[in-house]
Amino acid sequence: MKYVLAFRGQMERRLTGEEEARWPAWFQQINDSIADFGSRVGEVREVEARAERSDVLSGYILINADSLDAAATVAGGCPALQQGGSVEVGELVEA
């Protein structure tokens, strides 16, 4: 099954060189699970936000995993988690 890992980061925060370097290392670790390297996200606008948020969508990848729990385990190693961000994990549903 395919899952999207949506990365959220702090508004206005820029990563250091050391923090940036953690991403390729993590991608290499999970390379066998990656279905699509996705993309970083630039400018973001939330439509009909119901509450003030302190984080924004910063990128995503698609992975293959046997279950939502397995996908969440992969997400658990994401560098965003050590950089004040978060990862949302969602199952992709065929249209």
Side-chain angles (χ1 to χ4, degrees):
M1 296 166 53
K2 286 195 170 108
Y3 295 86
V4 61
L5 305 185
F7 311 124
R8 299 190 71 83
Q10 297 172 353
M11 284 188 226
E12 309 298 326
R13 185 175 187 282
R14 298 287 176 246
L15 299 180
T16 66
E18 184 179 311
E19 289 173 326
E20 282 283 353
R22 292 180 187 149
W23 286 89
W26 181 61
F27 289 143
Q28 188 173 9
Q29 283 181 324
I30 66 167
N31 187 54
D32 290 344
S33 297
I34 296 174
D36 181 330
F37 270 102
S39 185
R40 286 187 175 188
V41 174
E43 191 173 354
V44 175
R45 177 176 298 157
E46 192 164 351
V47 179
E48 290 198 37
R50 301 202 196 298
E52 195 66 30
R53 294 188 73 130
S54 63
D55 63 349
V56 294
L57 180 65
S58 59
Y60 72 95
I61 62 172
L62 303 181
I63 65 166
N64 295 307
D66 292 332
S67 67
L68 182 59
D69 287 340
T73 297
V74 171
C78 179
L81 301 174
Q82 291 87 42
Q83 299 164 356
S86 64
V87 182
E88 189 169 356
V89 181
E91 180 182 353
L92 294 183
V93 178
E94 294 290 326

